[in-house]
Amino acid sequence: MTYRFAVEPSSVDRHLASGSVIRSIPGRPALPVRLVRELAAAATDTWQRPGDRPVVWDPCCGLGHLLVCAALSQDVALALASDVDPDAVDLARRNLELLKPEGLADRAREIGHRDDADATIRPVYSILREPAPATRTFVADATDPTSCALGLGDVKPDIVLTDTPYGDQTVWADASREVGHLLASMEVTTAPGAVVGLVTSNRLRLPATTWQRAGTWNIGKRRVWLLHKGEK
């Protein structure tokens, strides 16, 4: 693929990908940081609200890696993370604190060894957003609009960014069916004009949907879908 927005790798990417800043556990894969930056920028560009700060939601957040990287690369008003797994949501909540200076300071204390903390944490301070986005996490099934609506309350996300289950470590039994349910759920829980940035297996055929395709590209075994919702 050709990168339009994340044209060059960032010097901070390797720190965010190392597992030394964003907390991780074995068996929980994460997208390449540069791909997240590209996806977040492309979605924001498609949203077309210059100067506005969107509400961004990852409904299959896992440990929150994608949302943290996205909110560091784009100016976000509210970062929402949800997942069907309560343990994952708990760790995602802690990772979203890394979007604030005090959260990075807490992480540095966790690491403990001063030289290691300085080498891994200090570069991230340089890309923190001011003001930092508000954050919220909740447990919900992304394919169930009622479950999502309960967690969202009166919030209507503007941008959805999510890495759907696929591959050897996380997988849906019927990916096409579940992606269809996911998109149907997003249709009723997002704001008018919302944008979805969806990462799937490159073998997935997108099911019939009311979402309009704004772009798609392949990278390795992954396919990225950029979808746009009407204003009504």
Side-chain angles (χ1 to χ4, degrees):
M1 65 168 283
T2 300
Y3 285 88
R4 292 178 53 219
F5 300 95
V7 177
E8 298 292 338
S10 165
S11 61
V12 185
D13 286 359
R14 64 185 179 88
H15 297 288
L16 295 174
S18 68
S20 297
V21 179
I22 302 175
R23 301 168 182 87
S24 60
I25 57 177
R28 290 281 186 169
L31 287 178
V33 178
R34 186 181 177 193
L35 177 56
V36 174
R37 292 195 291 115
E38 178 73 13
L39 176 61
T44 303
D45 183 67
T46 303
W47 186 53
Q48 295 184 338
R49 301 286 196 283
D52 287 352
R53 303 174 72 214
V55 174
V56 179
W57 177 29
D58 184 351
C60 304
C61 71
L63 307 183
H65 182 277
L66 184 157
L67 193 57
V68 170
C69 295
L72 287 171
S73 68
Q74 298 294 312
D75 194 13
V76 171
L78 172 61
L80 295 165
S82 64
D83 200 283
V84 73
D85 181 352
D87 292 334
V89 170
D90 184 61
L91 194 49
R93 176 188 55 77
R94 295 173 61 202
N95 277 332
L96 285 172
E97 290 299 314
L98 298 170
L99 299 174
K100 304 172 184 177
E102 54 269 31
L104 284 177
D106 287 343
R107 182 60 172 144
R109 285 190 286 272
E110 283 182 16
I111 295 172
H113 302 290
R114 181 173 178 79
D115 291 342
D116 290 344
D118 282 348
T120 57
I121 300 294
R122 188 177 298 278
V124 183
Y125 278 100
S126 68
I127 62 170
L128 288 181
R129 295 280 169 171
E130 180 60 41
T135 61
R136 184 151 63 84
T137 60
F138 56 94
V139 176
D141 179 352
T143 66
D144 179 356
T146 301
S147 174
C148 291
L150 285 172
L152 289 168
D154 59 358
V155 175
K156 292 284 190 179
D158 303 300
I159 295 175
V160 175
L161 302 174
T162 199
D163 185 19
T164 62
Y166 58 88
D168 297 328
Q169 295 178 307
T170 58
V171 63
W172 270 329
D174 185 342
S176 180
R177 177 178 177 273
E178 297 298 341
V179 167
H181 288 318
L182 171 67
L183 292 175
S185 178
M186 299 302 99
E187 174 70 24
V188 299
T189 53
T190 55
V195 174
V196 169
L198 193 67
V199 183
T200 70
S201 162
N202 63 6
R203 298 188 299 272
L204 181 89
R205 297 184 65 181
L206 198 69
T209 176
T210 58
W211 291 88
Q212 303 167 14
R213 294 193 194 186
T216 183
W217 64 90
N218 289 340
I219 178 166
K221 296 181 178 180
R222 300 179 176 97
R223 178 166 295 161
V224 180
W225 307 85
L226 204 58
L227 307 171
H228 188 258
K229 180 181 178 182
E231 293 288 344
K232 295 181 179 180

